[in-house]
Amino acid sequence: MGKTKLIIAQALLFAIVIIFFGLVIVEEKFSLKENDEEKIEKEITAYYQEKYQDLDLKTGTLNYDDTNKSYYIRYTDKENSNHYFTITYKENNITDDYEDSYVKGKTVLTKAEEELEAKYQEIFQNTNYEKIEVIFNDLDSYNEEDREKILTGDYSSNCYNVSFYIEIPTLDDVYLTNLITSFINISKENNLSASNYSITFNNNGIIKMVKADEGGMIYE
């Protein structure tokens, strides 16, 4: 009986030792991770201050991307949360997507396209106008006034293009022009106005693709 108690006591002692050292190792690893993240955050901040100190942006927190095994901080426009760029730290290298995400505005323009497409599709949902898509140019291609309008969600300055598809019984030019003009007029009645239009007409398998300006005038 005494031997059994001794074995149990030794087993408990062994378990306690294992747990103790396990906790020590976990604490050390956690401490190392905290120190590493603090170092990475300082390096990203220094990178931002060196390259983009003139930008007045909101600074995000340090995040870890488990998919890419990298750390990053997001810097966001104070007026538009979709207008941002990211500085990334991976394997001792720091990179950013300032040109694509902030200068060209890929994220903010994708959001704008989605919002406008939803409006167009709602307006024309019970018509033959199909596959309506909205396309913006890169943000840096606009003048300052139009750029500011886009960033504040004002798309009234004909700053985008629209494409759509429609099946038709004839390819008569007058008929096509009337369809385009009708689309433009209905859009304007709903405060939507593009700079130009790309249209695909389908006449029983015969495809005709045309372009039209904001006045409905066809050019090919």
Side-chain angles (χ1 to χ4, degrees):
M1 190 71 176
K3 188 176 181 180
T4 302
K5 287 183 178 180
L6 179 61
I7 293 172
I8 293 173
Q10 288 176 334
L12 287 172
L13 179 61
F14 182 74
I16 290 169
V17 170
I18 292 296
I19 292 171
F20 173 77
F21 282 107
L23 290 173
V24 169
I25 291 170
V26 168
E27 185 177 353
E28 286 180 349
K29 285 186 175 180
F30 185 75
S31 179
L32 286 172
K33 185 173 185 293
E34 276 191 326
N35 291 335
D36 286 345
E37 289 183 349
E38 184 177 346
K39 171 180 172 290
I40 291 168
E41 185 170 5
K42 285 181 179 178
E43 290 192 26
I44 291 178
T45 300
Y47 178 94
Y48 173 77
Q49 291 173 344
E50 180 182 350
K51 294 193 66 173
Y52 305 113
Q53 59 181 332
D54 295 333
L55 298 178
D56 184 21
L57 305 175
K58 290 188 294 185
T59 301
T61 57
L62 183 71
N63 291 284
Y64 183 71
D65 185 339
D66 191 55
T67 302
N68 293 319
K69 308 299 181 187
S70 61
Y71 287 91
Y72 67 91
I73 295 178
R74 181 174 292 175
Y75 296 86
T76 307
D77 185 276
K78 292 181 177 179
E79 303 298 326
N80 190 320
S81 61
N82 294 304
H83 192 207
Y84 60 81
F85 75 98
T86 301
I87 298 178
T88 302
Y89 181 101
K90 181 177 182 180
E91 297 176 352
N92 296 318
N93 290 317
I94 298 180
T95 57
D96 69 71
D97 58 359
Y98 173 74
E99 287 295 326
D100 280 342
S101 294
Y102 199 80
V103 176
K104 295 181 180 180
K106 297 298 186 183
T107 304
V108 71
L109 294 180
T110 297
K111 182 67 174 178
E113 289 169 351
E114 290 173 351
E115 289 179 0
L116 283 172
E117 284 176 8
K119 290 180 181 179
Y120 274 104
Q121 288 163 5
E122 180 181 2
I123 293 165
F124 293 101
Q125 62 180 330
N126 296 319
T127 70
N128 292 329
Y129 298 105
E130 303 176 66
K131 301 178 183 177
I132 301 172
E133 293 185 1
V134 174
I135 306 99
F136 280 84
N137 297 322
D138 289 342
L139 194 60
D140 60 342
S141 68
Y142 297 98
N143 61 42
E144 191 63 27
E145 181 181 358
D146 286 344
R147 184 176 180 276
E148 288 304 312
K149 284 184 176 181
I150 293 169
L151 288 174
T152 56
D154 178 359
Y155 312 126
S156 61
S157 57
N158 301 330
C159 52
Y160 58 91
N161 307 323
V162 169
S163 66
F164 61 89
Y165 168 94
I166 185 167
E167 295 187 2
I168 53 174
T170 176
L171 289 173
D172 176 72
D173 285 344
V174 175
Y175 181 70
L176 301 188
T177 301
N178 287 338
L179 286 175
I180 295 170
T181 303
S182 177
F183 183 93
I184 293 172
N185 289 340
I186 293 172
S187 299
K188 288 182 176 179
E189 289 170 4
N190 289 273
N191 300 315
L192 296 172
S193 182
S195 58
N196 57 66
Y197 301 83
S198 299
I199 307 99
T200 300
F201 294 105
N202 183 350
N203 172 223
N204 296 317
I206 301 174
I207 303 297
K208 183 172 184 178
M209 302 176 69
V210 303
K211 293 185 180 297
D213 59 26
E214 59 182 320
M217 184 68 68
I218 293 178
Y219 61 94
E220 298 185 30

